[in-house]
Amino acid sequence: MQLSRRARIALRVAAGLGFAVIYVPLLLVLVNSLNPDRSASWPPRGLTLHWWAAAWRSSGARAALWVSVKAGLGATAIALVLGTLIAFAVARHRFFGRGAVSFVVVLPIALPGIVTGIALNSAFSTVLAPLGVGLGLFTVVVGHATFCVVVVFNNVVARLRRTTTSYEEAATDLGAHTFRVFADVTFPLVRSALLAGALLSFALSFDEIVVTTFTAGPGVETLPVWIFGNMTRPRQAPVVNVVAAVLVLLSVLPIYLAQRLSSDTATTSRV
């Protein structure tokens, strides 16, 4: 489709405005983390790493970071197992209710976070509380896994649907047993999709705040929750800017790697 010169200019301007709305606020957070003024006056009088050192010495921020890492790793591990199993079932088998299973798996990512959080809080209070299991890191991991499964499922099922089963059938005809076929043929074909799903799942869990608020018990504070709780404290504003900047930088890496892996997967499937 050929566009006129005016249409191309209009599209470029619109794209530039859209990117500016998304990325200029993130850039301002990074600049404010280097601002020597506690009140984040603009323009900054200079640049300093004082607040970065203060954030590094903050025991609350370090503890919240470690909780976020543990929650992200736990949710990612659960999502990898469940998402992969469901993806293989949906992509490689025909059974009654296959479409309904796909819909139920994908639905949590479309639900508002507050709805998911309230539902999980009610379920945990009803089921786990009588068993003596209260809200804590375990419930946060389970809560995050409900939507992380979707990311792994989508990546793996898309890869399986683009992959022919002829390689696995050939390996079976040559005498390889089921586990050997999976290790030598199937796993290498879906490995990049699994890694991409794991990276996206970890990034999604690491940034989650709404579901975490409803599933975390007393004393369990992830990094996003710590940021939200300290935003209203004037003396903590510079440190919050630093932690927010670190959170942005940490989120970029897994998303970038997942995007590259997804591109490599798509290229491999066309060869």
Side-chain angles (χ1 to χ4, degrees):
M1 182 179 65
Q2 295 294 331
L3 297 176
S4 65
R5 185 171 179 272
R6 289 184 178 180
R8 291 196 300 270
I9 293 175
L11 286 175
R12 290 171 182 172
V13 171
L17 290 174
F19 285 122
V21 170
I22 296 173
Y23 291 106
V24 168
L26 299 180
L27 181 61
L28 291 177
V29 169
L30 181 60
V31 173
N32 282 331
S33 70
L34 301 172
N35 193 333
D37 293 335
R38 188 180 293 274
S39 60
S41 59
W42 191 263
R45 294 184 294 105
L47 299 177
T48 180
L49 293 176
H50 171 73
W51 303 121
W52 286 75
W56 176 256
R57 293 192 299 268
S58 174
S59 58
R62 291 201 308 270
L65 173 63
W66 179 232
V67 171
S68 289
V69 170
K70 290 191 290 185
L73 292 176
T76 300
I78 295 175
L80 278 174
V81 175
L82 295 181
T84 303
L85 292 176
I86 299 171
F88 270 91
V90 170
R92 293 295 175 82
H93 300 280
R94 300 292 182 269
F95 55 90
F96 176 76
R98 187 165 65 109
V101 170
S102 298
F103 174 77
V104 170
V105 173
V106 176
L107 182 61
I109 201 71
L111 291 175
I114 191 169
V115 174
T116 302
I118 292 173
L120 288 171
N121 182 276
S122 177
F124 292 149
S125 300
T126 304
V127 178
L128 297 183
L131 300 178
V133 179
L135 298 179
L137 181 60
F138 171 74
T139 54
V140 172
V141 170
V142 174
H144 288 191
T146 58
F147 51 81
C148 289
V149 168
V150 183
V151 179
V152 176
F153 170 79
N154 285 338
N155 276 274
V156 177
V157 79
R159 183 68 176 110
L160 290 174
R161 286 171 176 169
R162 294 196 302 263
T163 304
T164 178
T165 60
S166 58
Y167 299 111
E168 295 162 312
E169 294 170 354
T172 303
D173 291 340
L174 292 174
H177 54 77
T178 302
F179 294 104
R180 185 64 182 271
V181 172
F182 178 81
D184 293 346
V185 180
T186 308
F187 179 72
L189 291 175
V190 301
R191 180 170 49 202
S192 57
L194 287 171
L195 185 55
L199 290 170
L200 287 174
S201 295
F202 182 83
L204 194 62
S205 171
F206 198 83
D207 293 339
E208 171 58 39
I209 183 172
V210 178
V211 174
T212 306
T213 303
F214 285 92
T215 56
V220 178
E221 189 176 47
T222 62
L223 198 57
V225 174
W226 184 89
I227 292 175
F228 184 77
N230 285 270
M231 283 183 62
T232 56
R233 301 177 182 176
R235 296 186 61 83
Q236 285 290 86
V239 177
V240 168
N241 284 327
V242 172
V243 175
V246 171
L247 196 59
V248 171
L249 296 176
L250 290 178
S251 300
V252 167
L253 182 60
I255 293 174
Y256 172 76
L257 292 176
Q259 190 272 336
R260 290 295 303 271
L261 288 170
S262 298
S263 300
D264 295 341
T265 299
T267 302
T268 303
S269 65
R270 292 195 296 267
V271 176

